Amino acid sequence: MKSLFDPQEAQNIVSRYSSIPPELALRVYTSRLIGGDASLVLHGGGNTSVKFQARNILGEEREVLYIKGSGIDLGAIEPEGFVGLELEPLRKLKGLPKLSHEEMENQLQIHKIRSSSTDPSVEVLLHAFLPHRYIDHTHADFILALTNQKKWKELLEEALGPKAAILAYEPPGLSLARVASEAFGTNPGIEAVVVAQHGIFTFGEDARTAYERMIDYVGRAEAFLKARTRKRIFVNPSAGSPSQKELISAVARLNQAVRGACAFRSPGGLLRRFHTEVRTGDDLIEASLSPTAASLCSSGVLTPDHVIRTKNKWVFLPEIPPEDSGLKKIVKEKEVWLKKLRIGTGELLNN
Ligand code: ZN
């Protein structure tokens, strides 16, 4: 992981967006850096925020929190992609014993500073309760690969060091926000909060610090994982493996069969088909040859957020089926095939 922060580009963005506060322009810049890396967030995932003083219509100064709108892509975010909220009333919610999801949604709506702005991210209370000016949040793969282990707490403490608070999973909302803010209260020197099966938050008083802490902590997890898995090669392809040409033609045939199996009729009676894409990255080939490939495909995604983009489970075929019998079987037995692999057609159609 390498920081892509370029002070000149940061300055250019501040000049380009001269009609908005520079704090927000810098928020746009580092949000795009995070959103541009799919190992940190998938499209629409993750969120970032900034706090600063702003005047209301009466000329009164108050603290405002700008947070990414729900579902907006960090990689291409514009200033309008952030929602401004009055910070003080949100902070007061910390004193409530509990807050239902519906009431939290209501509170977020009534404290927006512009009624027409989009809905804020559901993780807004965590951003509100922590005092830092800039907060960055991702569902980084390297972090999740550690949070999803049996000994997640010990592994993360060892990988990330003493300035990262490691918290158990809780759904976004009042309770998680309060636990994170208590972790900061106990140890004000922390630079990051990790939530098991969810992701990581980093923070700082300026945009660069919060972003570079994200790169630093995710980089620590990456280095830790690589050092521990270096010698573990899934499997070596045997000498009798098919040639690349044979594989390409077999995969092309398989593609057609899968498209046929997943084809469906639209309400107007038209036959609709999916596009398929073959990916042959070294890591994917290695994982597909692993003895644990089948269980990897059915073990589910690392964090609920990934379900939106990748769906939860994947079909595993132990081999490319032979041309005649195997491929026809896939198309003919499509319902059985899909059910057996626990993938509902609804889920496929919604993809
Ligand atoms: Zn999240």
Side-chain angles (χ1 to χ4, degrees):
M1 289 252 113
K2 235 182 98 204
S3 167
L4 300 175
F5 191 95
D6 175 352
Q8 185 56 53
E9 186 52 23
Q11 199 45 54
N12 293 346
I13 293 220
V14 170
S15 312
R16 203 176 311 149
Y17 291 108
S18 56
S19 62
I20 61 168
E23 294 94 332
L24 186 55
L26 289 167
R27 182 64 289 176
V28 170
Y29 173 51
T30 55
S31 300
R32 288 179 187 167
L33 294 182
I34 286 175
D37 186 340
S39 78
L40 293 176
V41 284
L42 298 180
H43 184 289
N47 46 61
T48 55
S49 69
V50 58
K51 305 175 181 84
F52 52 86
Q53 298 282 329
R55 282 184 198 281
N56 65 14
I57 195 170
L58 301 170
E60 299 160 340
E61 284 268 336
R62 83 279 203 230
E63 218 177 346
V64 172
L65 168 77
Y66 277 86
I67 186 162
K68 189 201 83 156
S70 182
I72 289 181
D73 180 23
L74 277 175
I77 198 161
E78 292 290 339
E80 304 75 52
F82 288 90
V83 187
L85 296 137
E86 301 269 0
L87 189 53
E88 209 37 50
L90 292 186
R91 281 195 171 142
K92 283 186 184 161
L93 298 176
K94 201 158 93 173
L96 288 173
K98 57 183 189 253
L99 181 64
S100 69
H101 186 73
E102 291 71 27
E103 186 51 40
M104 182 176 79
E105 295 278 312
N106 180 48
Q107 290 295 316
L108 299 184
Q109 291 301 328
I110 62 180
H111 296 305
K112 289 202 291 198
I113 60 167
R114 192 165 291 279
S115 65
S116 59
S117 57
T118 183
D119 293 338
S121 157
V122 291
E123 277 144 356
V124 63
L125 291 185
L126 195 150
H127 290 253
F129 292 179
L130 285 171
H132 312 81
R133 187 176 295 275
Y134 286 86
I135 300 184
D136 294 14
H137 167 51
T138 72
H139 308 126
D141 295 342
F142 291 118
I143 296 288
L144 293 170
L146 289 171
T147 71
N148 293 26
Q149 302 297 322
K150 273 199 189 100
K151 292 189 171 172
W152 55 277
K153 209 167 182 349
E154 292 96 313
L155 288 172
L156 282 156
E157 280 168 0
E158 194 183 336
L160 305 185
K163 290 191 174 176
I166 316 294
L167 309 180
Y169 178 81
E170 280 210 49
L174 179 68
S175 176
L176 175 63
R178 196 159 28 211
V179 173
S181 116
E182 282 165 7
F184 171 75
T186 312
N187 180 5
I190 55 170
E191 299 170 341
V193 166
V194 171
V195 181
Q197 284 107 45
H198 181 169
I200 177 168
F201 295 79
T202 55
F203 19 83
E205 284 312 296
D206 59 85
R208 182 174 189 165
T209 301
Y211 164 71
E212 290 191 335
R213 281 182 178 162
M214 179 62 69
I215 299 302
D216 176 23
Y217 279 96
V218 176
R220 292 182 199 200
E222 178 185 15
F224 183 83
L225 277 163
K226 286 192 171 161
R228 300 221 162 186
T229 54
R230 201 181 298 144
K231 292 187 198 80
R232 210 191 302 162
I233 296 167
F234 279 130
V235 74
N236 284 315
S238 66
S241 298
S243 71
Q244 205 184 9
K245 202 174 156 197
E246 284 167 328
L247 275 177
I248 289 171
S249 108
V251 167
R253 285 187 283 103
L254 177 64
N255 259 343
Q256 297 306 319
V258 169
R259 293 187 71 216
C262 297
F264 67 101
R265 292 219 176 263
S266 68
L270 286 174
L271 188 63
R272 313 301 294 265
R273 286 200 172 93
F274 287 89
H275 290 281
T276 56
E277 184 185 321
V278 180
R279 296 188 185 174
T280 54
D282 288 347
D283 51 350
L284 286 177
I285 290 185
E286 211 180 314
S288 76
L289 292 172
S290 153
T292 56
S295 63
L296 283 176
C297 289
S298 62
S299 61
V301 289
L302 293 170
T303 178
D305 187 77
H306 285 176
V307 177
I308 300 166
R309 288 285 147 190
T310 64
K311 304 305 171 198
N312 201 28
K313 288 176 181 174
W314 310 317
V315 172
F316 175 72
L317 299 177
E319 57 183 3
I320 297 177
E323 186 155 7
D324 274 345
S325 52
L327 293 182
K328 278 184 188 152
K329 216 170 155 204
I330 285 182
V331 181
K332 230 166 109 188
E333 295 177 358
K334 107 182 196 183
E335 292 306 322
V336 181
W337 188 65
L338 292 171
K339 257 187 210 148
K340 197 168 104 187
L341 293 155
R342 285 183 279 154
I343 294 184
T345 41
E347 192 172 321
L348 276 170
L349 302 185
N350 289 332
N351 198 347

